[in-house]
Amino acid sequence: MKQFSSDKEAADALAQAYKNLTREISKVIIGQDEVVRLVLTAVFSQGHCLLVGVPGLAKTLLIQTIASSLDLSFNRIQFTPDLMPSDIVGSETMDQSRNFQFVKGPIFANIILADEINRTPPKTQAALLESMQEYSVTVAGQKYELNRPFFVLATQNPIEQEGTYPLPEAQLDRFMFNILLDYPSFDSELQIVKNTTSDVSYRLPTILHADEITAFQHLVRRVPVVDNVIEYAVKLVHQTRPNTTMGAAQASQYLEWGAGPRASQHLIVGAKCNALLNGKYSPDIEDVQAVALPILRHRIVRNFKAEAEGITVEKIIKDLL
């Protein structure tokens, strides 16, 4: 890995690597520029992502493409109603010498694609909790450290679909971003069909390695932030809390409960990363706003009045911004 003489030089290298990544990924993933931006922001911020959308919007292909361009080990776990926690973290088996031996599950990789995570019951969903927070798994009282860097990129079908189990709030809070994927535009879909119905395949070059990603993650944490930006982020989160001294009128009117302190932390780390990816050395309020929607979307819960009046979570957040 190249050694940088200063954090400024490293920041310039991160901005250039991001440009190279988005250019290469866009050759495979068409018309999802905003989704790619947010997933890469989460990668460099040491965060996990939840991608929500109907089947067939290339959620799985997107994650596989990003993994291949980052030279990271990648495992895909297909979540089904009969999946057991041991199918994810691994289990103890008896070897020929009649000794117990731990066989690692697919969780032991740099990037985990948790495909259709809400198709499996809560017991199995919870198997991811420790790994997402502590970067380790515990089996039979023994703790096993996971490979770093480590990301869970989960896909989820809309809750209204049959055979889905809503993720508990505690697990939703572990995800830095909740990213909504919409249908592609007409022009984008034309290009997708042309690319995917021919015999030509595109192989992505490796742009970053694991040690470089880890170094950039530490760089993001070292980015200085002025107090007024931190105050804006914390105030924004406080405004989402209904019936509190700093809660906004919309929150008290339309929300059951608001975001917790983890949202404030993610807003600042996400703003730091967003600034670096755009060639800036310190974030401003615009950088906080650039990551606010996917960070707050899954952390606030509407009340019955909001649902009855058709007030969306996105509208409430945009009004607060």
Side-chain angles (χ1 to χ4, degrees), residues 75-93:
N75 278 335
R76 176 177 183 263
I77 306 171
Q78 183 65 51
F79 281 72
T80 56
D82 59 350
L83 195 74
M84 298 295 289
S86 58
D87 296 330
I88 297 172
V89 300
S91 59
E92 287 200 319
T93 59

Side-chain angles (χ1 to χ4, degrees), residues 64-273:
Q64 288 173 331
T65 303
I66 289 173
S68 63
S69 64
L70 294 178
D71 189 32
L72 297 175
S73 59
F74 169 80
N75 278 335
R76 176 177 183 263
I77 306 171
Q78 183 65 51
F79 281 72
T80 56
D82 59 350
L83 195 74
M84 298 295 289
S86 58
D87 296 330
I88 297 172
V89 300
S91 59
E92 287 200 319
T93 59
M94 191 175 285
D95 61 17
Q96 291 175 329
S97 308
R98 300 182 71 82
N99 294 319
F100 283 110
Q101 186 177 9
F102 178 63
V103 179
K104 291 182 176 180
I107 196 80
F108 288 87
N110 296 120
I111 292 185
I112 301 300
L113 167 55
D115 216 352
E116 297 188 300
I117 190 172
N118 61 334
R119 290 224 182 270
T120 201
K123 180 181 179 181
T124 307
Q125 291 173 358
L128 283 173
L129 276 175
E130 181 187 359
S131 57
M132 290 171 69
Q133 188 65 28
E134 311 295 336
Y135 298 100
S136 64
V137 297
T138 304
V139 178
Q142 184 73 36
K143 192 172 186 178
Y144 300 91
E145 295 294 326
L146 294 170
N147 304 329
R148 303 291 288 270
F150 175 78
F151 317 101
V152 173
L153 302 176
T155 69
Q156 176 173 300
N157 295 319
I159 291 299
E160 292 76 18
Q161 291 197 332
E162 287 293 321
T164 55
Y165 301 82
L167 286 173
E169 280 68 29
Q171 185 155 1
L172 278 175
D173 201 40
R174 296 297 198 286
F175 288 100
M176 179 177 185
F177 288 143
N178 179 339
I179 305 170
L180 292 185
L181 280 84
D182 208 349
Y183 293 109
S185 67
F186 181 78
D187 291 338
S188 296
E189 194 160 344
L190 273 179
Q191 192 61 45
I192 290 167
V193 172
K194 286 178 184 176
N195 288 6
T196 55
T197 55
S198 69
D199 198 29
V200 179
S201 61
Y202 181 74
R203 185 171 178 80
L204 284 179
T206 299
I207 293 169
L208 286 177
H209 299 277
D211 55 349
E212 294 173 304
I213 295 166
T214 303
F216 285 140
Q217 288 176 339
H218 289 301
L219 173 69
V220 167
R221 298 279 167 161
R222 293 197 298 272
V223 170
V225 189
V226 293
D227 283 348
N228 75 304
V229 173
I230 296 177
E231 286 168 10
Y232 175 81
V234 175
K235 184 181 177 186
L236 177 61
V237 172
H238 271 261
Q239 285 180 313
T240 67
R241 298 170 185 169
N243 305 313
T244 58
T245 51
M246 293 184 68
Q250 300 103 303
S252 299
Q253 188 177 4
Y254 293 121
L255 295 182
E256 197 77 43
W257 66 75
R262 199 179 268 127
S264 302
Q265 295 167 333
H266 284 320
L267 282 171
I268 292 303
V269 175
K272 287 180 176 186
C273 186

Side-chain angles (χ1 to χ4, degrees), residues 260-299:
R262 199 179 268 127
S264 302
Q265 295 167 333
H266 284 320
L267 282 171
I268 292 303
V269 175
K272 287 180 176 186
C273 186
N274 192 71
L276 288 182
L277 298 184
N278 287 291
K280 298 187 291 187
Y281 303 120
S282 182
D284 52 28
I285 286 172
E286 285 181 358
D287 292 302
V288 176
Q289 293 170 336
V291 295
L293 189 59
I295 286 175
L296 295 175
R297 177 184 281 134
H298 55 302
R299 291 185 164 89

